[in-house]
Amino acid sequence: MQIVTPGMRLIPEAVLANNAALFRTIPETPSHADKSLHRVIIVGGGAGGLELATRLGRKFGNRRLSVTLVDRNRTHIWKPLLHEVASGALSASHDAVEYIAHASRHGYRYRIGEVVGIDRAKRQVFVAPSFDDDGRQVIPPRVLGYDTLVMAVGSVTNDFGTPGAARHALSLDTAEQAARFNKRMIDACLRANAQYEQLSPGQLHCVIVGAGATGVELAAELHKSMREIASHNLDNIDFERLIRITIVEAGPRILPALPEQMARATARLLIKLGVQIRCGIKVTEVTEDGIRLGDKLFVPAELVVWAAGIKAPDFLKGLEGLETDRINRLIVDETLRTVADENVFAIGDCANCVLPGEENALPPRAQTAHQQAHHMAKVIAARLAERAPPAYRYRDYGSLVSLADYGAFGSLIGGLKIEGLVARLVYRSLHKMHLKAVHGLAQTTLASIGEMIVKRARPRIKLH
């Protein structure tokens, strides 16, 4: 029997069920010809993992460290932009980072594959084989040795076991999922324009479950993109009247993690756009035709996006005694080291880090991953020098939300409120900071100039 991973690679179920037995028969793959190098393995090439690999590769190269990044995907795209890929405002193929080429330029190694287990005693990670779309093996199963292991596998959508959610709702955890939603959105518009019969209940309706930053930003992007699609000679139907977007939030208001003033301003703008907001009610079921709220209310919808919560990947629960919380995050101390193993660390969304004097774990934001990647490089440098690892200190630089071309709101350090063009520029600067960390200042500057030129030559949204 075979199962399909989110990247559509086929992995034999036996690999996942019998990790230890299978992988202990496989010899360890050397990370470098020079066995004196300190071996760093980074699992996960998201914002934190890729920035850390890049920073270490540039600083050390092959002089004192052998740095290996392991990820089951071949490209990286900044996760906060996936809602733009879903709406078609951003093309994943144009804006993605190719790990193979990037690793070659920045002094680290990239290995494709999904980590499915570790052996802490031998300091080894188990990497499942990779298969192509036809089920043929591309990369065999491997065992990689480490001296320092950094888990940076991020987070995935948490549907809380809601009936039908896994089957009928779409998530935006990966570029593949975002592209899949984009295709379904375009097909929905084309179908509605070409069909002879009247639109059925829920047709051209989209429900977004969860009113965090991803949910509200996606709502604004879809409002603009679906109307943009309709303007391309789809004139057999009144899209302005029939397109409907609804946000459902179990909590009392949208953007629960952000300041209330930002939430109110965002809600006013969304309502002005015609987006329906339902707060204080839970989704009890997702069906092929829509969602059920509470015991009686049914909201018909052709498209359902689940953006209501996150958890770390399930495989972290079984990593040889490493302590996790209720949403699978690895428990780490103030140095980002796991509490059970001095050689295993975690950064980003998959780490539960409660700093001294605080009650709650650090928020799962891109700025958290960015700061922790920077700190983790210092920790590894300290390990090389046989010094005690430094303690991590988090700085909250504020919150931002961007609603397509309609508006943006932000709350910065010291409670400074910004909105409009200033907020949009600050929002975009966060992505540029990530690109600078990954590519360097010169390449980021050139890419930004090229992007401005290309935008004038291609459609605003991706239509295929």
Side-chain angles (χ1 to χ4, degrees), residues 163-170 184 191 200-207 285-292 298-305:
R167 182 176 181 182
H168 299 297
L170 292 168
R184 285 187 59 178
R191 184 185 303 111
S200 60
Q203 199 169 349
L204 288 181
H205 294 188
C206 177
V207 170
E285 184 183 9
V286 181
T287 73
E288 186 177 2
D289 302 315
I291 63 169
R292 196 171 303 282
F298 183 79
V299 179
E302 186 170 7
L303 299 169
V304 177
V305 180

PDB file of all heavy atoms in Angstrom, residues 163-170 184 191 200-207 285-292 298-305:
ATOM      1  N   PRO A 163     -15.316  17.074  11.206  1.00  0.00           N
ATOM      2  CA  PRO A 163     -15.764  16.144  10.164  1.00  0.00           C
ATOM      3  C   PRO A 163     -15.790  16.780   8.781  1.00  0.00           C
ATOM      4  O   PRO A 163     -16.330  17.868   8.592  1.00  0.00           O
ATOM      5  CB  PRO A 163     -17.181  15.761  10.625  1.00  0.00           C
ATOM      6  CG  PRO A 163     -17.167  15.959  12.104  1.00  0.00           C
ATOM      7  CD  PRO A 163     -16.273  17.149  12.337  1.00  0.00           C
ATOM      8  N   GLY A 164     -15.176  16.097   7.821  1.00  0.00           N
ATOM      9  CA  GLY A 164     -15.188  16.551   6.437  1.00  0.00           C
ATOM     10  C   GLY A 164     -14.148  17.579   6.082  1.00  0.00           C
ATOM     11  O   GLY A 164     -13.929  17.856   4.895  1.00  0.00           O
ATOM     12  N   ALA A 165     -13.468  18.161   7.070  1.00  0.00           N
ATOM     13  CA  ALA A 165     -12.518  19.243   6.773  1.00  0.00           C
ATOM     14  C   ALA A 165     -11.338  18.740   5.953  1.00  0.00           C
ATOM     15  O   ALA A 165     -10.928  19.381   4.977  1.00  0.00           O
ATOM     16  CB  ALA A 165     -12.033  19.891   8.063  1.00  0.00           C
ATOM     17  N   ALA A 166     -10.771  17.610   6.340  1.00  0.00           N
ATOM     18  CA  ALA A 166      -9.595  17.092   5.629  1.00  0.00           C
ATOM     19  C   ALA A 166      -9.930  16.738   4.189  1.00  0.00           C
ATOM     20  O   ALA A 166      -9.084  16.869   3.298  1.00  0.00           O
ATOM     21  CB  ALA A 166      -9.044  15.877   6.368  1.00  0.00           C
ATOM     22  N   ARG A 167     -11.149  16.308   3.952  1.00  0.00           N
ATOM     23  CA  ARG A 167     -11.530  15.856   2.607  1.00  0.00           C
ATOM     24  C   ARG A 167     -12.009  16.983   1.713  1.00  0.00           C
ATOM     25  O   ARG A 167     -11.695  17.029   0.526  1.00  0.00           O
ATOM     26  CB  ARG A 167     -12.615  14.785   2.722  1.00  0.00           C
ATOM     27  CG  ARG A 167     -13.062  14.214   1.387  1.00  0.00           C
ATOM     28  CD  ARG A 167     -14.062  13.092   1.569  1.00  0.00           C
ATOM     29  NE  ARG A 167     -14.468  12.532   0.281  1.00  0.00           N
ATOM     30  CZ  ARG A 167     -15.362  11.562   0.133  1.00  0.00           C
ATOM     31  NH1 ARG A 167     -15.948  11.054   1.224  1.00  0.00           N
ATOM     32  NH2 ARG A 167     -15.687  11.105  -1.060  1.00  0.00           N
ATOM     33  N   HIS A 168     -12.781  17.904   2.268  1.00  0.00           N
ATOM     34  CA  HIS A 168     -13.461  18.876   1.411  1.00  0.00           C
ATOM     35  C   HIS A 168     -12.905  20.296   1.492  1.00  0.00           C
ATOM     36  O   HIS A 168     -13.198  21.115   0.610  1.00  0.00           O
ATOM     37  CB  HIS A 168     -14.953  18.920   1.764  1.00  0.00           C
ATOM     38  CG  HIS A 168     -15.659  17.613   1.568  1.00  0.00           C
ATOM     39  ND1 HIS A 168     -15.789  17.016   0.331  1.00  0.00           N
ATOM     40  CD2 HIS A 168     -16.258  16.769   2.459  1.00  0.00           C
ATOM     41  CE1 HIS A 168     -16.450  15.882   0.452  1.00  0.00           C
ATOM     42  NE2 HIS A 168     -16.745  15.702   1.733  1.00  0.00           N
ATOM     43  N   ALA A 169     -12.137  20.617   2.524  1.00  0.00           N
ATOM     44  CA  ALA A 169     -11.583  21.974   2.635  1.00  0.00           C
ATOM     45  C   ALA A 169     -10.144  21.991   2.131  1.00  0.00           C
ATOM     46  O   ALA A 169      -9.404  21.023   2.284  1.00  0.00           O
ATOM     47  CB  ALA A 169     -11.638  22.443   4.091  1.00  0.00           C
ATOM     48  N   LEU A 170      -9.763  23.100   1.541  1.00  0.00           N
ATOM     49  CA  LEU A 170      -8.394  23.282   1.066  1.00  0.00           C
ATOM     50  C   LEU A 170      -7.591  24.046   2.110  1.00  0.00           C
ATOM     51  O   LEU A 170      -8.112  24.942   2.776  1.00  0.00           O
ATOM     52  CB  LEU A 170      -8.386  24.061  -0.248  1.00  0.00           C
ATOM     53  CG  LEU A 170      -8.966  23.335  -1.463  1.00  0.00           C
ATOM     54  CD1 LEU A 170      -9.170  24.310  -2.609  1.00  0.00           C
ATOM     55  CD2 LEU A 170      -8.057  22.200  -1.898  1.00  0.00           C
ATOM     56  N   ARG A 184      -8.729  25.787  -8.968  1.00  0.00           N
ATOM     57  CA  ARG A 184     -10.137  25.548  -8.689  1.00  0.00           C
ATOM     58  C   ARG A 184     -10.933  26.848  -8.746  1.00  0.00           C
ATOM     59  O   ARG A 184     -12.081  26.866  -9.203  1.00  0.00           O
ATOM     60  CB  ARG A 184     -10.299  24.891  -7.316  1.00  0.00           C
ATOM     61  CG  ARG A 184      -9.904  23.422  -7.301  1.00  0.00           C
ATOM     62  CD  ARG A 184     -10.237  22.764  -5.989  1.00  0.00           C
ATOM     63  NE  ARG A 184     -11.665  22.839  -5.672  1.00  0.00           N
ATOM     64  CZ  ARG A 184     -12.219  22.310  -4.592  1.00  0.00           C
ATOM     65  NH1 ARG A 184     -11.454  21.652  -3.712  1.00  0.00           N
ATOM     66  NH2 ARG A 184     -13.505  22.424  -4.373  1.00  0.00           N
ATOM     67  N   ARG A 191     -16.582  27.868 -15.308  1.00  0.00           N
ATOM     68  CA  ARG A 191     -17.764  27.003 -15.312  1.00  0.00           C
ATOM     69  C   ARG A 191     -19.036  27.819 -15.191  1.00  0.00           C
ATOM     70  O   ARG A 191     -20.011  27.598 -15.937  1.00  0.00           O
ATOM     71  CB  ARG A 191     -17.666  26.005 -14.164  1.00  0.00           C
ATOM     72  CG  ARG A 191     -18.800  24.981 -14.124  1.00  0.00           C
ATOM     73  CD  ARG A 191     -18.706  24.105 -12.886  1.00  0.00           C
ATOM     74  NE  ARG A 191     -17.429  23.415 -12.811  1.00  0.00           N
ATOM     75  CZ  ARG A 191     -16.496  23.678 -11.911  1.00  0.00           C
ATOM     76  NH1 ARG A 191     -16.693  24.624 -10.993  1.00  0.00           N
ATOM     77  NH2 ARG A 191     -15.363  23.016 -11.902  1.00  0.00           N
ATOM     78  N   SER A 200     -26.217  27.182  -9.139  1.00  0.00           N
ATOM     79  CA  SER A 200     -26.763  26.442  -8.011  1.00  0.00           C
ATOM     80  C   SER A 200     -26.432  27.180  -6.714  1.00  0.00           C
ATOM     81  O   SER A 200     -25.533  28.034  -6.682  1.00  0.00           O
ATOM     82  CB  SER A 200     -26.179  25.030  -7.967  1.00  0.00           C
ATOM     83  OG  SER A 200     -24.768  25.088  -7.834  1.00  0.00           O
ATOM     84  N   PRO A 201     -27.124  26.871  -5.605  1.00  0.00           N
ATOM     85  CA  PRO A 201     -26.808  27.511  -4.315  1.00  0.00           C
ATOM     86  C   PRO A 201     -25.350  27.263  -3.929  1.00  0.00           C
ATOM     87  O   PRO A 201     -24.873  26.140  -3.953  1.00  0.00           O
ATOM     88  CB  PRO A 201     -27.768  26.822  -3.343  1.00  0.00           C
ATOM     89  CG  PRO A 201     -28.905  26.370  -4.196  1.00  0.00           C
ATOM     90  CD  PRO A 201     -28.300  25.986  -5.511  1.00  0.00           C
ATOM     91  N   GLY A 202     -24.659  28.311  -3.597  1.00  0.00           N
ATOM     92  CA  GLY A 202     -23.260  28.189  -3.192  1.00  0.00           C
ATOM     93  C   GLY A 202     -22.263  28.324  -4.323  1.00  0.00           C
ATOM     94  O   GLY A 202     -21.056  28.448  -4.085  1.00  0.00           O
ATOM     95  N   GLN A 203     -22.725  28.297  -5.557  1.00  0.00           N
ATOM     96  CA  GLN A 203     -21.795  28.437  -6.672  1.00  0.00           C
ATOM     97  C   GLN A 203     -21.189  29.839  -6.687  1.00  0.00           C
ATOM     98  O   GLN A 203     -21.895  30.836  -6.482  1.00  0.00           O
ATOM     99  CB  GLN A 203     -22.507  28.142  -7.994  1.00  0.00           C
ATOM    100  CG  GLN A 203     -21.556  27.814  -9.140  1.00  0.00           C
ATOM    101  CD  GLN A 203     -22.285  27.279 -10.364  1.00  0.00           C
ATOM    102  OE1 GLN A 203     -23.462  26.962 -10.309  1.00  0.00           O
ATOM    103  NE2 GLN A 203     -21.577  27.185 -11.476  1.00  0.00           N
ATOM    104  N   LEU A 204     -19.891  29.932  -6.879  1.00  0.00           N
ATOM    105  CA  LEU A 204     -19.117  31.172  -6.827  1.00  0.00           C
ATOM    106  C   LEU A 204     -19.033  31.750  -5.413  1.00  0.00           C
ATOM    107  O   LEU A 204     -18.664  32.900  -5.238  1.00  0.00           O
ATOM    108  CB  LEU A 204     -19.660  32.233  -7.787  1.00  0.00           C
ATOM    109  CG  LEU A 204     -19.429  31.980  -9.273  1.00  0.00           C
ATOM    110  CD1 LEU A 204     -19.997  33.123 -10.095  1.00  0.00           C
ATOM    111  CD2 LEU A 204     -17.955  31.791  -9.591  1.00  0.00           C
ATOM    112  N   HIS A 205     -19.396  30.933  -4.423  1.00  0.00           N
ATOM    113  CA  HIS A 205     -19.246  31.359  -3.036  1.00  0.00           C
ATOM    114  C   HIS A 205     -17.989  30.711  -2.454  1.00  0.00           C
ATOM    115  O   HIS A 205     -17.722  29.528  -2.698  1.00  0.00           O
ATOM    116  CB  HIS A 205     -20.449  30.938  -2.191  1.00  0.00           C
ATOM    117  CG  HIS A 205     -21.720  31.619  -2.584  1.00  0.00           C
ATOM    118  ND1 HIS A 205     -22.881  31.513  -1.858  1.00  0.00           N
ATOM    119  CD2 HIS A 205     -22.019  32.439  -3.634  1.00  0.00           C
ATOM    120  CE1 HIS A 205     -23.832  32.219  -2.444  1.00  0.00           C
ATOM    121  NE2 HIS A 205     -23.337  32.780  -3.524  1.00  0.00           N
ATOM    122  N   CYS A 206     -17.248  31.472  -1.675  1.00  0.00           N
ATOM    123  CA  CYS A 206     -16.042  30.959  -1.016  1.00  0.00           C
ATOM    124  C   CYS A 206     -16.149  31.247   0.476  1.00  0.00           C
ATOM    125  O   CYS A 206     -16.410  32.384   0.876  1.00  0.00           O
ATOM    126  CB  CYS A 206     -14.786  31.613  -1.590  1.00  0.00           C
ATOM    127  SG  CYS A 206     -13.260  31.099  -0.758  1.00  0.00           S
ATOM    128  N   VAL A 207     -15.948  30.199   1.282  1.00  0.00           N
ATOM    129  CA  VAL A 207     -15.938  30.352   2.727  1.00  0.00           C
ATOM    130  C   VAL A 207     -14.523  30.151   3.229  1.00  0.00           C
ATOM    131  O   VAL A 207     -13.864  29.165   2.878  1.00  0.00           O
ATOM    132  CB  VAL A 207     -16.887  29.341   3.412  1.00  0.00           C
ATOM    133  CG1 VAL A 207     -16.670  29.344   4.924  1.00  0.00           C
ATOM    134  CG2 VAL A 207     -18.331  29.677   3.094  1.00  0.00           C
ATOM    135  N   GLU A 285     -19.043  20.917  10.568  1.00  0.00           N
ATOM    136  CA  GLU A 285     -18.865  19.945   9.484  1.00  0.00           C
ATOM    137  C   GLU A 285     -18.575  20.678   8.185  1.00  0.00           C
ATOM    138  O   GLU A 285     -19.097  21.772   7.943  1.00  0.00           O
ATOM    139  CB  GLU A 285     -20.113  19.074   9.324  1.00  0.00           C
ATOM    140  CG  GLU A 285     -19.959  17.971   8.278  1.00  0.00           C
ATOM    141  CD  GLU A 285     -21.232  17.166   8.071  1.00  0.00           C
ATOM    142  OE1 GLU A 285     -22.289  17.575   8.621  1.00  0.00           O
ATOM    143  OE2 GLU A 285     -21.177  16.139   7.363  1.00  0.00           O
ATOM    144  N   VAL A 286     -17.734  20.066   7.362  1.00  0.00           N
ATOM    145  CA  VAL A 286     -17.483  20.568   6.014  1.00  0.00           C
ATOM    146  C   VAL A 286     -17.963  19.500   5.041  1.00  0.00           C
ATOM    147  O   VAL A 286     -17.601  18.326   5.172  1.00  0.00           O
ATOM    148  CB  VAL A 286     -15.997  20.861   5.773  1.00  0.00           C
ATOM    149  CG1 VAL A 286     -15.787  21.414   4.357  1.00  0.00           C
ATOM    150  CG2 VAL A 286     -15.459  21.845   6.801  1.00  0.00           C
ATOM    151  N   THR A 287     -18.797  19.887   4.102  1.00  0.00           N
ATOM    152  CA  THR A 287     -19.308  18.945   3.115  1.00  0.00           C
ATOM    153  C   THR A 287     -18.841  19.349   1.720  1.00  0.00           C
ATOM    154  O   THR A 287     -18.183  20.379   1.537  1.00  0.00           O
ATOM    155  CB  THR A 287     -20.848  18.898   3.138  1.00  0.00           C
ATOM    156  OG1 THR A 287     -21.358  20.115   2.553  1.00  0.00           O
ATOM    157  CG2 THR A 287     -21.371  18.762   4.563  1.00  0.00           C
ATOM    158  N   GLU A 288     -19.220  18.570   0.759  1.00  0.00           N
ATOM    159  CA  GLU A 288     -18.860  18.865  -0.632  1.00  0.00           C
ATOM    160  C   GLU A 288     -19.522  20.142  -1.113  1.00  0.00           C
ATOM    161  O   GLU A 288     -19.029  20.809  -2.027  1.00  0.00           O
ATOM    162  CB  GLU A 288     -19.280  17.689  -1.517  1.00  0.00           C
ATOM    163  CG  GLU A 288     -18.840  17.810  -2.962  1.00  0.00           C
ATOM    164  CD  GLU A 288     -19.216  16.604  -3.790  1.00  0.00           C
ATOM    165  OE1 GLU A 288     -19.853  15.683  -3.236  1.00  0.00           O
ATOM    166  OE2 GLU A 288     -18.875  16.577  -4.999  1.00  0.00           O
ATOM    167  N   ASP A 289     -20.632  20.519  -0.468  1.00  0.00           N
ATOM    168  CA  ASP A 289     -21.410  21.664  -0.934  1.00  0.00           C
ATOM    169  C   ASP A 289     -21.317  22.886  -0.036  1.00  0.00           C
ATOM    170  O   ASP A 289     -21.938  23.909  -0.318  1.00  0.00           O
ATOM    171  CB  ASP A 289     -22.886  21.261  -1.052  1.00  0.00           C
ATOM    172  CG  ASP A 289     -23.079  20.082  -1.998  1.00  0.00           C
ATOM    173  OD1 ASP A 289     -22.471  20.102  -3.075  1.00  0.00           O
ATOM    174  OD2 ASP A 289     -23.819  19.149  -1.626  1.00  0.00           O
ATOM    175  N   GLY A 290     -20.568  22.808   1.084  1.00  0.00           N
ATOM    176  CA  GLY A 290     -20.472  23.965   1.965  1.00  0.00           C
ATOM    177  C   GLY A 290     -20.079  23.572   3.372  1.00  0.00           C
ATOM    178  O   GLY A 290     -19.455  22.536   3.601  1.00  0.00           O
ATOM    179  N   ILE A 291     -20.465  24.409   4.330  1.00  0.00           N
ATOM    180  CA  ILE A 291     -20.094  24.152   5.724  1.00  0.00           C
ATOM    181  C   ILE A 291     -21.332  24.216   6.612  1.00  0.00           C
ATOM    182  O   ILE A 291     -22.300  24.923   6.309  1.00  0.00           O
ATOM    183  CB  ILE A 291     -19.055  25.160   6.240  1.00  0.00           C
ATOM    184  CG1 ILE A 291     -19.622  26.583   6.234  1.00  0.00           C
ATOM    185  CG2 ILE A 291     -17.772  25.086   5.431  1.00  0.00           C
ATOM    186  CD1 ILE A 291     -18.763  27.598   6.959  1.00  0.00           C
ATOM    187  N   ARG A 292     -21.275  23.476   7.708  1.00  0.00           N
ATOM    188  CA  ARG A 292     -22.345  23.514   8.692  1.00  0.00           C
ATOM    189  C   ARG A 292     -21.844  24.268   9.920  1.00  0.00           C
ATOM    190  O   ARG A 292     -20.764  23.973  10.439  1.00  0.00           O
ATOM    191  CB  ARG A 292     -22.768  22.099   9.065  1.00  0.00           C
ATOM    192  CG  ARG A 292     -24.121  22.033   9.771  1.00  0.00           C
ATOM    193  CD  ARG A 292     -24.583  20.594   9.910  1.00  0.00           C
ATOM    194  NE  ARG A 292     -24.651  19.919   8.624  1.00  0.00           N
ATOM    195  CZ  ARG A 292     -25.634  20.066   7.742  1.00  0.00           C
ATOM    196  NH1 ARG A 292     -26.637  20.891   8.017  1.00  0.00           N
ATOM    197  NH2 ARG A 292     -25.626  19.403   6.607  1.00  0.00           N
ATOM    198  N   PHE A 298     -26.572  26.001   7.712  1.00  0.00           N
ATOM    199  CA  PHE A 298     -25.714  25.506   6.631  1.00  0.00           C
ATOM    200  C   PHE A 298     -25.409  26.648   5.669  1.00  0.00           C
ATOM    201  O   PHE A 298     -26.318  27.380   5.244  1.00  0.00           O
ATOM    202  CB  PHE A 298     -26.406  24.366   5.876  1.00  0.00           C
ATOM    203  CG  PHE A 298     -25.544  23.762   4.800  1.00  0.00           C
ATOM    204  CD1 PHE A 298     -24.544  22.845   5.114  1.00  0.00           C
ATOM    205  CD2 PHE A 298     -25.709  24.116   3.474  1.00  0.00           C
ATOM    206  CE1 PHE A 298     -23.739  22.294   4.124  1.00  0.00           C
ATOM    207  CE2 PHE A 298     -24.921  23.573   2.473  1.00  0.00           C
ATOM    208  CZ  PHE A 298     -23.927  22.652   2.804  1.00  0.00           C
ATOM    209  N   VAL A 299     -24.138  26.825   5.351  1.00  0.00           N
ATOM    210  CA  VAL A 299     -23.709  27.868   4.414  1.00  0.00           C
ATOM    211  C   VAL A 299     -23.197  27.193   3.150  1.00  0.00           C
ATOM    212  O   VAL A 299     -22.140  26.550   3.169  1.00  0.00           O
ATOM    213  CB  VAL A 299     -22.605  28.752   5.027  1.00  0.00           C
ATOM    214  CG1 VAL A 299     -22.157  29.810   4.019  1.00  0.00           C
ATOM    215  CG2 VAL A 299     -23.074  29.402   6.310  1.00  0.00           C
ATOM    216  N   PRO A 300     -23.923  27.281   2.038  1.00  0.00           N
ATOM    217  CA  PRO A 300     -23.450  26.652   0.797  1.00  0.00           C
ATOM    218  C   PRO A 300     -22.245  27.390   0.236  1.00  0.00           C
ATOM    219  O   PRO A 300     -22.162  28.619   0.307  1.00  0.00           O
ATOM    220  CB  PRO A 300     -24.667  26.771  -0.132  1.00  0.00           C
ATOM    221  CG  PRO A 300     -25.434  27.943   0.377  1.00  0.00           C
ATOM    222  CD  PRO A 300     -25.214  27.970   1.863  1.00  0.00           C
ATOM    223  N   ALA A 301     -21.287  26.636  -0.295  1.00  0.00           N
ATOM    224  CA  ALA A 301     -20.077  27.244  -0.863  1.00  0.00           C
ATOM    225  C   ALA A 301     -19.416  26.265  -1.822  1.00  0.00           C
ATOM    226  O   ALA A 301     -19.358  25.060  -1.548  1.00  0.00           O
ATOM    227  CB  ALA A 301     -19.105  27.645   0.234  1.00  0.00           C
ATOM    228  N   GLU A 302     -18.916  26.788  -2.923  1.00  0.00           N
ATOM    229  CA  GLU A 302     -18.180  25.961  -3.884  1.00  0.00           C
ATOM    230  C   GLU A 302     -16.743  25.757  -3.446  1.00  0.00           C
ATOM    231  O   GLU A 302     -16.131  24.737  -3.726  1.00  0.00           O
ATOM    232  CB  GLU A 302     -18.227  26.629  -5.262  1.00  0.00           C
ATOM    233  CG  GLU A 302     -17.630  25.798  -6.375  1.00  0.00           C
ATOM    234  CD  GLU A 302     -17.895  26.377  -7.749  1.00  0.00           C
ATOM    235  OE1 GLU A 302     -18.427  27.508  -7.843  1.00  0.00           O
ATOM    236  OE2 GLU A 302     -17.586  25.708  -8.746  1.00  0.00           O
ATOM    237  N   LEU A 303     -16.184  26.743  -2.743  1.00  0.00           N
ATOM    238  CA  LEU A 303     -14.797  26.680  -2.287  1.00  0.00           C
ATOM    239  C   LEU A 303     -14.750  26.901  -0.784  1.00  0.00           C
ATOM    240  O   LEU A 303     -15.368  27.839  -0.271  1.00  0.00           O
ATOM    241  CB  LEU A 303     -13.949  27.753  -2.983  1.00  0.00           C
ATOM    242  CG  LEU A 303     -13.828  27.679  -4.501  1.00  0.00           C
ATOM    243  CD1 LEU A 303     -13.193  28.956  -5.045  1.00  0.00           C
ATOM    244  CD2 LEU A 303     -13.006  26.471  -4.917  1.00  0.00           C
ATOM    245  N   VAL A 304     -14.036  26.041  -0.081  1.00  0.00           N
ATOM    246  CA  VAL A 304     -13.848  26.189   1.360  1.00  0.00           C
ATOM    247  C   VAL A 304     -12.355  26.142   1.654  1.00  0.00           C
ATOM    248  O   VAL A 304     -11.667  25.194   1.259  1.00  0.00           O
ATOM    249  CB  VAL A 304     -14.570  25.084   2.158  1.00  0.00           C
ATOM    250  CG1 VAL A 304     -14.292  25.240   3.662  1.00  0.00           C
ATOM    251  CG2 VAL A 304     -16.074  25.122   1.891  1.00  0.00           C
ATOM    252  N   VAL A 305     -11.856  27.168   2.323  1.00  0.00           N
ATOM    253  CA  VAL A 305     -10.449  27.225   2.724  1.00  0.00           C
ATOM    254  C   VAL A 305     -10.380  27.148   4.243  1.00  0.00           C
ATOM    255  O   VAL A 305     -11.068  27.902   4.935  1.00  0.00           O
ATOM    256  CB  VAL A 305      -9.771  28.532   2.247  1.00  0.00           C
ATOM    257  CG1 VAL A 305      -8.307  28.557   2.683  1.00  0.00           C
ATOM    258  CG2 VAL A 305      -9.873  28.662   0.742  1.00  0.00           C
TER     259      VAL A 305
END
